[in-house]
Amino acid sequence: MQFIDLKAQYAALRESIQVRMNAVLEHGQYIMGPEVAEMEAALAARVGVDHCISVASGTEALLIALMALDIGPGDEVITTPFTFAASAETIVLAGATPVFVDIEPDTCNIDAALIEAAITPRTRAIMPVSLYGQVADMAAINAIAAQHGLAVIEDAAQSFGATYQGRPSCGLSTFGATSFFPSKPLGCYGDGGALFTNDAALAQAAREIRVHGQSKRYHHSRIGVGGRMDTLQCAVVLAKLERFDWEIERRLALGDRYHQLLADLSLRRLVVRPDRDCVWAQYTVFVEQRAAVQAALQAAGIPTAIHYPIPLHHQPAYARFAPQEACPHAVRAAAQVLSLPMSADLSEADQDRIVAALRQAL
């Protein structure tokens, strides 16, 4: 069994992917070819924003957003410690300081009620992470940001395709940033990512930053990075968009089915708030004796993963930004979360097998 069944997805889309990739090989515009602008237009329309800027990865998306906002030394950015390192990594790379705020224990997203207390005169932005495919409480976060004159960058690496109060993830704040890493809800076959915004000036800044700060060829108007998304990867995303609506429907249905099948077991499940959905980049549960349960599932042929086993403020690279005892909900979640196989091509028979093995392991 595959943890994420990319082979089945490719089998369903093989012809479209090959046609798209062959077109790139024929025209030979491997950098900034026509598929780049085509993908950006399609994604901007899907999210409902004026601008989509494709970039080399989800990490580059976050870094370029921070750079476009001119966030740097002396500035602070509020984020969560319960996320992949890229969220805090980019803040540090920009020269700013990450300020960690604890999570909601039932969603694992940043607790908006704790953000205001973390704001200081040095705060420039808030970076919520839409973890596991569910958007954080963006209405509350945006309200706090507006009151204090702060930017909001949604780290939506795991939530492209999700909705919040009827609006798409990535189109809810100053910047939305997503990843097209192969395992994401919408993935390519390498690294890739995108930024979304309605602000024309920020969009222009991001476009310049991704090409080494060039406003025109060899005219460097700002500091930049080599942050372009390859044309071949954009071609893959365009092919995958053909059945993306179906994939989102399947993810929502499979997530609901997991919830129903696990309802009678003595383990906590993530809560999905009534004003949003979850595209289940990872279907994650909380397990007390995780190592033993994970070993039992492995013995039964069920692959699992842990997203994420160590909160960032317990990582050597980021420990200086918060005391060890900070963010207790994040610490507890890191010790208990366990992700089960999940993809749009997961069969109900395999899902039944997963749940039966989990029931036996517990």
Side-chain angles (χ1 to χ4, degrees), residues 150-201:
L150 307 176
V152 178
I153 304 167
E154 182 197 0
D155 181 344
Q158 299 180 14
S159 62
F160 192 84
T163 61
Y164 172 87
Q165 297 183 356
R167 298 172 58 199
S169 175
C170 292
L172 302 165
S173 55
T174 315
F175 268 124
T178 200
S179 168
F180 302 128
F181 189 79
S183 63
K184 304 302 184 187
L186 179 61
C188 57
Y189 288 157
D191 277 315
L195 278 169
F196 300 84
T197 186
N198 283 313
D199 188 308

Short mmCIF file of all heavy atoms in Angstrom, two decimals, residues 150-201:
data_model
loop_
_atom_site.label_atom_id
_atom_site.label_comp_id
_atom_site.label_asym_id
_atom_site.label_seq_id
_atom_site.Cartn_x
_atom_site.Cartn_y
_atom_site.Cartn_z
N LEU A 150 -0.74 45.02 10.24
CA LEU A 150 0.18 43.94 9.92
C LEU A 150 -0.23 43.23 8.63
O LEU A 150 -1.40 43.20 8.27
CB LEU A 150 0.21 42.91 11.05
CG LEU A 150 0.49 43.43 12.46
CD1 LEU A 150 0.38 42.30 13.47
CD2 LEU A 150 1.86 44.10 12.52
N ALA A 151 0.74 42.67 7.95
CA ALA A 151 0.47 41.82 6.80
C ALA A 151 0.17 40.40 7.29
O ALA A 151 0.58 40.01 8.39
CB ALA A 151 1.67 41.79 5.87
N VAL A 152 -0.55 39.64 6.48
CA VAL A 152 -0.84 38.24 6.78
C VAL A 152 -0.39 37.41 5.58
O VAL A 152 -0.77 37.68 4.44
CB VAL A 152 -2.33 38.00 7.06
CG1 VAL A 152 -2.59 36.51 7.31
CG2 VAL A 152 -2.79 38.82 8.25
N ILE A 153 0.44 36.40 5.86
CA ILE A 153 0.89 35.47 4.84
C ILE A 153 0.35 34.09 5.20
O ILE A 153 0.78 33.50 6.19
CB ILE A 153 2.44 35.41 4.76
CG1 ILE A 153 3.03 36.80 4.51
CG2 ILE A 153 2.89 34.44 3.68
CD1 ILE A 153 4.53 36.87 4.74
N GLU A 154 -0.60 33.59 4.43
CA GLU A 154 -1.12 32.25 4.70
C GLU A 154 -0.16 31.21 4.13
O GLU A 154 0.04 31.16 2.90
CB GLU A 154 -2.51 32.05 4.09
CG GLU A 154 -3.08 30.66 4.42
CD GLU A 154 -4.25 30.24 3.55
OE1 GLU A 154 -4.66 31.00 2.65
OE2 GLU A 154 -4.75 29.11 3.76
N ASP A 155 0.44 30.40 4.98
CA ASP A 155 1.24 29.27 4.53
C ASP A 155 0.25 28.16 4.20
O ASP A 155 -0.19 27.40 5.07
CB ASP A 155 2.22 28.85 5.62
CG ASP A 155 3.11 27.68 5.19
OD1 ASP A 155 2.78 27.01 4.21
OD2 ASP A 155 4.12 27.43 5.88
N ALA A 156 -0.10 28.09 2.93
CA ALA A 156 -1.13 27.16 2.46
C ALA A 156 -0.51 26.00 1.69
O ALA A 156 -1.12 25.46 0.76
CB ALA A 156 -2.14 27.90 1.60
N ALA A 157 0.68 25.58 2.10
CA ALA A 157 1.37 24.50 1.40
C ALA A 157 0.56 23.21 1.40
O ALA A 157 0.68 22.40 0.49
CB ALA A 157 2.74 24.26 2.03
N GLN A 158 -0.30 23.02 2.43
CA GLN A 158 -1.06 21.77 2.54
C GLN A 158 -2.54 21.95 2.23
O GLN A 158 -3.30 20.98 2.34
CB GLN A 158 -0.88 21.21 3.96
CG GLN A 158 0.54 20.87 4.31
CD GLN A 158 0.70 20.31 5.72
OE1 GLN A 158 -0.27 19.92 6.36
NE2 GLN A 158 1.93 20.28 6.20
N SER A 159 -2.97 23.15 1.87
CA SER A 159 -4.42 23.39 1.82
C SER A 159 -4.93 23.91 0.48
O SER A 159 -6.07 24.39 0.42
CB SER A 159 -4.81 24.38 2.92
OG SER A 159 -4.17 25.64 2.71
N PHE A 160 -4.15 23.82 -0.59
CA PHE A 160 -4.68 24.30 -1.87
C PHE A 160 -5.89 23.45 -2.24
O PHE A 160 -5.85 22.23 -2.24
CB PHE A 160 -3.63 24.22 -2.98
CG PHE A 160 -4.05 24.97 -4.21
CD1 PHE A 160 -3.84 26.33 -4.31
CD2 PHE A 160 -4.69 24.31 -5.25
CE1 PHE A 160 -4.25 27.03 -5.44
CE2 PHE A 160 -5.10 25.00 -6.37
CZ PHE A 160 -4.89 26.37 -6.47
N GLY A 161 -7.00 24.12 -2.54
CA GLY A 161 -8.26 23.44 -2.83
C GLY A 161 -9.24 23.48 -1.69
O GLY A 161 -10.43 23.20 -1.88
N ALA A 162 -8.79 23.85 -0.49
CA ALA A 162 -9.68 23.97 0.66
C ALA A 162 -10.42 25.30 0.62
O ALA A 162 -10.01 26.24 -0.07
CB ALA A 162 -8.88 23.85 1.96
N THR A 163 -11.50 25.38 1.39
CA THR A 163 -12.26 26.63 1.47
C THR A 163 -12.46 27.03 2.93
O THR A 163 -12.48 26.19 3.83
CB THR A 163 -13.63 26.52 0.79
OG1 THR A 163 -14.40 25.49 1.44
CG2 THR A 163 -13.49 26.19 -0.68
N TYR A 164 -12.61 28.33 3.12
CA TYR A 164 -12.86 28.92 4.43
C TYR A 164 -13.96 29.94 4.27
O TYR A 164 -13.83 30.89 3.48
CB TYR A 164 -11.58 29.58 4.96
CG TYR A 164 -11.76 30.39 6.23
CD1 TYR A 164 -11.67 29.78 7.48
CD2 TYR A 164 -12.02 31.76 6.17
CE1 TYR A 164 -11.84 30.52 8.64
CE2 TYR A 164 -12.19 32.50 7.33
CZ TYR A 164 -12.09 31.88 8.56
OH TYR A 164 -12.26 32.62 9.71
N GLN A 165 -15.08 29.73 4.94
CA GLN A 165 -16.24 30.60 4.81
C GLN A 165 -16.59 30.84 3.34
O GLN A 165 -16.92 31.95 2.93
CB GLN A 165 -15.98 31.92 5.55
CG GLN A 165 -15.79 31.72 7.05
CD GLN A 165 -15.59 33.02 7.83
OE1 GLN A 165 -15.53 34.11 7.25
NE2 GLN A 165 -15.50 32.91 9.14
N GLY A 166 -16.50 29.76 2.56
CA GLY A 166 -16.87 29.80 1.16
C GLY A 166 -15.82 30.35 0.22
O GLY A 166 -16.05 30.40 -0.99
N ARG A 167 -14.68 30.76 0.74
CA ARG A 167 -13.62 31.34 -0.09
C ARG A 167 -12.42 30.41 -0.13
O ARG A 167 -12.12 29.74 0.85
CB ARG A 167 -13.21 32.72 0.45
CG ARG A 167 -14.34 33.74 0.42
CD ARG A 167 -13.90 35.00 1.16
NE ARG A 167 -12.70 35.58 0.58
CZ ARG A 167 -11.90 36.44 1.22
NH1 ARG A 167 -12.17 36.79 2.48
NH2 ARG A 167 -10.84 36.93 0.62
N PRO A 168 -11.69 30.41 -1.26
CA PRO A 168 -10.57 29.46 -1.38
C PRO A 168 -9.37 29.83 -0.54
O PRO A 168 -9.02 31.02 -0.39
CB PRO A 168 -10.21 29.53 -2.88
CG PRO A 168 -11.39 30.17 -3.54
CD PRO A 168 -11.98 31.10 -2.53
N SER A 169 -8.73 28.82 0.01
CA SER A 169 -7.42 29.00 0.61
C SER A 169 -6.49 29.63 -0.42
O SER A 169 -6.61 29.38 -1.62
CB SER A 169 -6.86 27.64 1.04
OG SER A 169 -5.55 27.73 1.52
N CYS A 170 -5.59 30.46 0.03
CA CYS A 170 -4.62 31.23 -0.77
C CYS A 170 -5.17 32.59 -1.20
O CYS A 170 -4.40 33.45 -1.61
CB CYS A 170 -4.11 30.49 -2.02
SG CYS A 170 -3.06 29.08 -1.64
N GLY A 171 -6.48 32.78 -1.10
CA GLY A 171 -7.05 34.06 -1.49
C GLY A 171 -7.66 34.82 -0.33
O GLY A 171 -8.61 35.59 -0.51
N LEU A 172 -7.12 34.61 0.87
CA LEU A 172 -7.77 35.11 2.08
C LEU A 172 -7.00 36.21 2.79
O LEU A 172 -7.47 36.72 3.81
CB LEU A 172 -7.95 33.93 3.07
CG LEU A 172 -8.76 32.75 2.53
CD1 LEU A 172 -8.57 31.52 3.43
CD2 LEU A 172 -10.23 33.11 2.43
N SER A 173 -5.81 36.58 2.29
CA SER A 173 -4.96 37.49 3.06
C SER A 173 -4.04 38.27 2.13
O SER A 173 -4.19 38.22 0.91
CB SER A 173 -4.13 36.68 4.07
OG SER A 173 -3.40 35.67 3.42
N THR A 174 -3.09 38.99 2.72
CA THR A 174 -2.14 39.79 1.93
C THR A 174 -1.47 38.93 0.88
O THR A 174 -1.39 39.29 -0.30
CB THR A 174 -1.06 40.40 2.86
OG1 THR A 174 -1.67 40.94 4.02
CG2 THR A 174 -0.26 41.47 2.12
N PHE A 175 -0.93 37.81 1.32
CA PHE A 175 -0.32 36.83 0.44
C PHE A 175 -0.82 35.44 0.82
O PHE A 175 -0.95 35.13 2.01
CB PHE A 175 1.21 36.80 0.60
CG PHE A 175 1.99 37.69 -0.33
CD1 PHE A 175 2.87 38.64 0.17
CD2 PHE A 175 1.90 37.55 -1.71
CE1 PHE A 175 3.62 39.45 -0.67
CE2 PHE A 175 2.64 38.35 -2.56
CZ PHE A 175 3.50 39.30 -2.05
N GLY A 176 -1.09 34.61 -0.16
CA GLY A 176 -1.25 33.18 0.05
C GLY A 176 -0.06 32.50 -0.60
O GLY A 176 0.34 32.87 -1.71
N ALA A 177 0.50 31.52 0.07
CA ALA A 177 1.68 30.82 -0.46
C ALA A 177 1.42 29.32 -0.42
O ALA A 177 1.04 28.78 0.62
CB ALA A 177 2.91 31.15 0.38
N THR A 178 1.62 28.65 -1.56
CA THR A 178 1.40 27.21 -1.58
C THR A 178 2.58 26.49 -2.19
O THR A 178 3.48 27.10 -2.75
CB THR A 178 0.10 26.84 -2.31
OG1 THR A 178 -0.31 25.53 -1.91
CG2 THR A 178 0.25 26.91 -3.82
N SER A 179 2.55 25.16 -2.07
CA SER A 179 3.61 24.29 -2.57
C SER A 179 3.02 23.28 -3.54
O SER A 179 1.89 22.81 -3.35
CB SER A 179 4.26 23.55 -1.39
OG SER A 179 5.09 22.49 -1.85
N PHE A 180 3.80 22.94 -4.56
CA PHE A 180 3.42 21.88 -5.49
C PHE A 180 4.36 20.67 -5.35
O PHE A 180 4.53 19.91 -6.30
CB PHE A 180 3.43 22.40 -6.93
CG PHE A 180 2.51 23.56 -7.16
CD1 PHE A 180 2.98 24.73 -7.75
CD2 PHE A 180 1.19 23.51 -6.76
CE1 PHE A 180 2.14 25.81 -7.95
CE2 PHE A 180 0.34 24.59 -6.95
CZ PHE A 180 0.82 25.75 -7.55
N PHE A 181 4.95 20.53 -4.16
CA PHE A 181 5.71 19.31 -3.86
C PHE A 181 4.83 18.10 -4.21
O PHE A 181 3.61 18.17 -4.03
CB PHE A 181 6.08 19.32 -2.38
CG PHE A 181 7.03 18.25 -1.96
CD1 PHE A 181 8.39 18.37 -2.21
CD2 PHE A 181 6.57 17.12 -1.29
CE1 PHE A 181 9.27 17.37 -1.80
CE2 PHE A 181 7.44 16.12 -0.89
CZ PHE A 181 8.80 16.25 -1.15
N PRO A 182 5.40 17.01 -4.74
CA PRO A 182 4.57 15.92 -5.26
C PRO A 182 3.49 15.38 -4.33
O PRO A 182 2.43 14.93 -4.80
CB PRO A 182 5.61 14.85 -5.60
CG PRO A 182 6.84 15.62 -5.94
CD PRO A 182 6.84 16.79 -5.00
N SER A 183 3.72 15.43 -3.02
CA SER A 183 2.75 14.85 -2.09
C SER A 183 1.62 15.80 -1.71
O SER A 183 0.69 15.39 -1.00
CB SER A 183 3.47 14.40 -0.81
OG SER A 183 4.04 15.52 -0.14
N LYS A 184 1.66 17.03 -2.17
CA LYS A 184 0.63 18.01 -1.80
C LYS A 184 -0.68 17.71 -2.53
O LYS A 184 -0.71 16.98 -3.53
CB LYS A 184 1.10 19.43 -2.11
CG LYS A 184 2.41 19.82 -1.46
CD LYS A 184 2.38 19.71 0.05
CE LYS A 184 3.68 20.19 0.66
NZ LYS A 184 3.75 19.96 2.11
N PRO A 185 -1.80 18.30 -2.09
CA PRO A 185 -3.07 18.07 -2.79
C PRO A 185 -3.00 18.36 -4.29
O PRO A 185 -3.58 17.62 -5.09
CB PRO A 185 -4.03 19.02 -2.07
CG PRO A 185 -3.49 19.06 -0.67
CD PRO A 185 -2.00 19.03 -0.82
N LEU A 186 -2.30 19.42 -4.68
CA LEU A 186 -2.00 19.68 -6.09
C LEU A 186 -0.49 19.71 -6.21
O LEU A 186 0.15 20.68 -5.79
CB LEU A 186 -2.61 21.00 -6.55
CG LEU A 186 -2.35 21.37 -8.01
CD1 LEU A 186 -2.94 20.33 -8.96
CD2 LEU A 186 -2.90 22.75 -8.34
N GLY A 187 0.09 18.65 -6.77
CA GLY A 187 1.54 18.54 -6.81
C GLY A 187 2.06 18.42 -8.22
O GLY A 187 1.35 18.03 -9.15
N CYS A 188 3.35 18.75 -8.38
CA CYS A 188 4.02 18.53 -9.65
C CYS A 188 4.95 17.33 -9.49
O CYS A 188 4.75 16.50 -8.59
CB CYS A 188 4.75 19.78 -10.11
SG CYS A 188 5.97 20.44 -8.93
N TYR A 189 5.97 17.19 -10.34
CA TYR A 189 6.89 16.06 -10.25
C TYR A 189 8.29 16.51 -9.87
O TYR A 189 9.29 15.99 -10.33
CB TYR A 189 6.90 15.28 -11.57
CG TYR A 189 5.64 14.49 -11.81
CD1 TYR A 189 5.25 14.13 -13.09
CD2 TYR A 189 4.82 14.11 -10.75
CE1 TYR A 189 4.09 13.41 -13.31
CE2 TYR A 189 3.66 13.39 -10.96
CZ TYR A 189 3.30 13.04 -12.24
OH TYR A 189 2.15 12.32 -12.46
N GLY A 190 8.32 17.48 -8.98
CA GLY A 190 9.57 18.02 -8.45
C GLY A 190 9.19 19.09 -7.46
O GLY A 190 8.18 18.98 -6.78
N ASP A 191 9.99 20.14 -7.41
CA ASP A 191 9.64 21.27 -6.57
C ASP A 191 8.91 22.33 -7.37
O ASP A 191 9.15 22.52 -8.56
CB ASP A 191 10.91 21.89 -5.94
CG ASP A 191 11.36 21.14 -4.70
OD1 ASP A 191 10.50 20.83 -3.86
OD2 ASP A 191 12.56 20.86 -4.58
N GLY A 192 8.04 23.05 -6.69
CA GLY A 192 7.30 24.14 -7.31
C GLY A 192 6.41 24.78 -6.27
O GLY A 192 6.14 24.20 -5.22
N GLY A 193 5.96 25.98 -6.54
CA GLY A 193 5.08 26.67 -5.61
C GLY A 193 4.49 27.90 -6.25
O GLY A 193 4.75 28.20 -7.43
N ALA A 194 3.67 28.62 -5.50
CA ALA A 194 3.05 29.82 -6.04
C ALA A 194 2.66 30.77 -4.93
O ALA A 194 2.38 30.36 -3.80
CB ALA A 194 1.81 29.46 -6.87
N LEU A 195 2.63 32.05 -5.29
CA LEU A 195 2.13 33.12 -4.43
C LEU A 195 0.87 33.70 -5.04
O LEU A 195 0.74 33.76 -6.27
CB LEU A 195 3.17 34.25 -4.31
CG LEU A 195 4.30 34.06 -3.31
CD1 LEU A 195 5.36 35.13 -3.51
CD2 LEU A 195 3.76 34.11 -1.89
N PHE A 196 -0.06 34.13 -4.18
CA PHE A 196 -1.33 34.70 -4.62
C PHE A 196 -1.56 36.01 -3.89
O PHE A 196 -1.38 36.08 -2.66
CB PHE A 196 -2.47 33.73 -4.34
CG PHE A 196 -2.36 32.41 -5.03
CD1 PHE A 196 -1.60 31.38 -4.48
CD2 PHE A 196 -2.96 32.19 -6.25
CE1 PHE A 196 -1.47 30.16 -5.13
CE2 PHE A 196 -2.85 30.97 -6.91
CZ PHE A 196 -2.10 29.95 -6.34
N THR A 197 -1.99 37.03 -4.62
CA THR A 197 -2.27 38.31 -3.97
C THR A 197 -3.17 39.16 -4.87
O THR A 197 -3.21 38.96 -6.09
CB THR A 197 -0.97 39.08 -3.66
OG1 THR A 197 -1.28 40.26 -2.92
CG2 THR A 197 -0.23 39.48 -4.93
N ASN A 198 -3.87 40.09 -4.25
CA ASN A 198 -4.64 41.09 -5.00
C ASN A 198 -3.91 42.42 -5.09
O ASN A 198 -4.41 43.35 -5.71
CB ASN A 198 -6.01 41.30 -4.35
CG ASN A 198 -6.98 40.18 -4.66
OD1 ASN A 198 -7.12 39.77 -5.81
ND2 ASN A 198 -7.66 39.68 -3.64
N ASP A 199 -2.74 42.50 -4.48
CA ASP A 199 -1.98 43.75 -4.43
C ASP A 199 -1.02 43.80 -5.62
O ASP A 199 -0.05 43.03 -5.68
CB ASP A 199 -1.22 43.83 -3.11
CG ASP A 199 -0.55 45.17 -2.88
OD1 ASP A 199 0.19 45.62 -3.78
OD2 ASP A 199 -0.75 45.76 -1.80
N ALA A 200 -1.25 44.71 -6.54
CA ALA A 200 -0.45 44.77 -7.76
C ALA A 200 1.01 45.10 -7.48
O ALA A 200 1.92 44.55 -8.12
CB ALA A 200 -1.04 45.80 -8.73
N ALA A 201 1.26 45.99 -6.53
CA ALA A 201 2.64 46.37 -6.22
C ALA A 201 3.39 45.19 -5.61
O ALA A 201 4.56 44.93 -5.94
CB ALA A 201 2.66 47.56 -5.27
#
